[in-house]
Amino acid sequence: MIAARQGFTLLEILVAIGLTAMITLISFQIFRSVHQTQERAGPPKHRDHTARIFLDRFERELMGTTLVVKPEETERQDFPWLFLAEDRISSGSDVDALRFVTQNPVCTPGSRTPGLRSVTYAVADAGDGERLDLFRSEQRLGDALVKEIRLDEAEPVLEDVARFSLTFLGEEEPTQAWDSTAEASLDALPLGVEVALQLFEPGPDGEPVAGREHLREIDLPIRPLEAAEPPVEPGACPTGPTIDECIAEYREDLADHPEGGAVTSRVAAAGAGCWDDPQPSEELLALHEAFYEVLKIKAAGACLQ
């Protein structure tokens, strides 16, 4: 009677280990080859994601663009409202710098919306003559016109940019320039803006190559606001302050409130008349309503002398 065989010999175990190692090595090489092929076939997804996030934020700011038509009695240099685009990098006729006033400035999650801001986006050479960096800056809307685009206090928002270009859409042909202080587009806004964004990404050999071009068309829904009344000198109202004097008392409260821009834009539409005009215009009534909704202070009881 022959005894039953138990277990494996050492040779059988070594052969099994060798076969397993060979199969594992072949599988790894196949996986690496497929992965490298996929990397070469398409751009890294994270750069596309970065472009989309930027365009979402840029669109939100642009859709809040607000422009007020300059009253005839006001000097242009004393009027800060502006929508200006220019070609900062001399590489063609494409616009790559923009300054505008917005009610929707970008803010960190959970923080208060700072109200009306003058926002600037502009590119600068990254140092190699090919790649660009995109910068952003913002300031409170001042009392004077500022057209010079400088990046002294700007912060970078995108690096390794291959292209950032803006085209302005109107009722006629698209244009590559816009200046709301120039005769051709005086106190006017385009109907929309087309943004072209292209980022560099690592190529197959590790060198940066221009990736996919992202295009987005953004509508500007807020049309330029007309000042309804001529300027009124301080102290000229018989029973109370002027609109400007009243708003000046609450300027800090409005700047700190997330909806303060709604009041500020209504001020421009109401003009510079008396706060408690006995025959208020529709624009003044709308300002009073926005004032109460934002600050929860009854307009009739505010700014009393």
Side-chain angles (χ1 to χ4, degrees):
M1 183 175 180
I2 300 175
R5 180 180 176 184
Q6 297 180 353
F8 298 94
T9 66
L10 178 61
L11 179 59
E12 290 173 329
I13 293 175
L14 291 176
V15 171
I17 292 175
L19 289 174
T20 301
M22 184 179 300
I23 293 172
T24 302
L25 178 61
I26 293 173
S27 299
F28 174 75
Q29 290 176 336
I30 293 174
F31 171 79
R32 185 174 64 177
S33 176
V34 171
H35 181 67
Q36 289 176 342
T37 301
Q38 289 177 338
E39 282 190 330
R40 294 190 184 100
K45 293 183 179 179
H46 76 277
R47 293 298 276 171
D48 286 343
H49 184 61
T50 298
R52 287 194 294 269
I53 289 177
F54 168 79
L55 288 173
D56 287 345
R57 294 176 177 176
F58 188 58
E59 179 174 9
R60 180 179 181 276
E61 285 196 302
L62 267 183
M63 288 186 67
T65 297
T66 305
L67 184 69
V68 177
V69 177
K70 184 188 76 65
E72 293 183 2
E73 299 82 357
T74 303
E75 295 293 333
R76 179 61 66 178
Q77 62 268 21
D78 298 328
F79 197 69
W81 299 87
L82 178 69
F83 190 91
L84 173 69
E86 64 182 30
D87 182 11
R88 183 175 177 83
I89 302 297
S90 299
S91 58
S93 60
D94 55 333
V95 170
D96 50 31
L98 177 66
R99 173 167 291 164
F100 59 102
V101 179
T102 180
Q103 299 183 34
N104 301 331
V106 170
C107 58
T108 56
S111 63
R112 291 182 173 183
T113 303
L116 282 172
R117 287 291 189 270
S118 175
V119 175
T120 301
Y121 283 92
V123 297
D125 195 319
D128 60 3
E130 184 175 2
R131 291 179 297 171
L132 304 171
D133 291 333
L134 179 61
F135 289 82
R136 177 188 182 277
S137 65
E138 73 169 64
Q139 298 83 29
R140 287 187 178 184
L141 189 63
D143 298 324
L145 180 66
V146 179
K147 294 184 64 174
E148 182 183 9
I149 293 180
R150 301 178 60 181
L151 302 179
D152 299 349
E153 300 180 359
E155 297 182 355
V157 291
L158 281 178
E159 297 179 343
D160 293 336
V161 177
R163 183 188 180 201
F164 176 71
S165 177
L166 305 171
T167 301
F168 303 99
L169 311 175
E171 296 179 355
E172 299 179 356
E173 293 296 320
T175 179
Q176 293 288 338
W178 202 279
D179 183 352
S180 64
T181 68
E183 188 64 31
S185 50
L186 188 62
D187 292 328
L189 289 173
L191 298 178
V193 180
E194 184 182 78
V195 188
L197 177 64
Q198 191 174 21
L199 304 180
F200 279 106
E201 58 195 29
D205 56 357
E207 293 295 320
V209 296
R212 171 189 172 191
E213 184 178 60
H214 297 261
L215 295 175
R216 184 167 304 186
E217 187 174 313
I218 302 171
D219 293 331
L220 303 186
I222 305 175
R223 295 294 85 204
L225 302 171
E226 296 278 352
E229 298 287 343
V232 174
E233 294 295 328
C237 297
T239 59
T242 66
I243 293 175
D244 288 341
E245 288 174 320
C246 181
I247 293 300
E249 291 187 28
Y250 297 92
R251 193 176 302 280
E252 292 186 4
D253 295 327
L254 292 171
D256 292 337
H257 197 282
E259 301 298 332
V263 177
T264 309
S265 62
R266 294 290 187 184
V267 171
C274 296
W275 179 260
D276 57 349
D277 193 325
Q279 296 180 330
S281 63
E282 292 184 4
E283 291 79 9
L284 181 56
L285 290 174
L287 170 59
H288 282 192
E289 182 179 352
F291 184 90
Y292 174 75
E293 289 295 325
V294 170
L295 298 182
K296 303 303 180 185
I297 301 172
K298 289 189 175 181
C303 307
L304 296 178
Q305 289 182 338

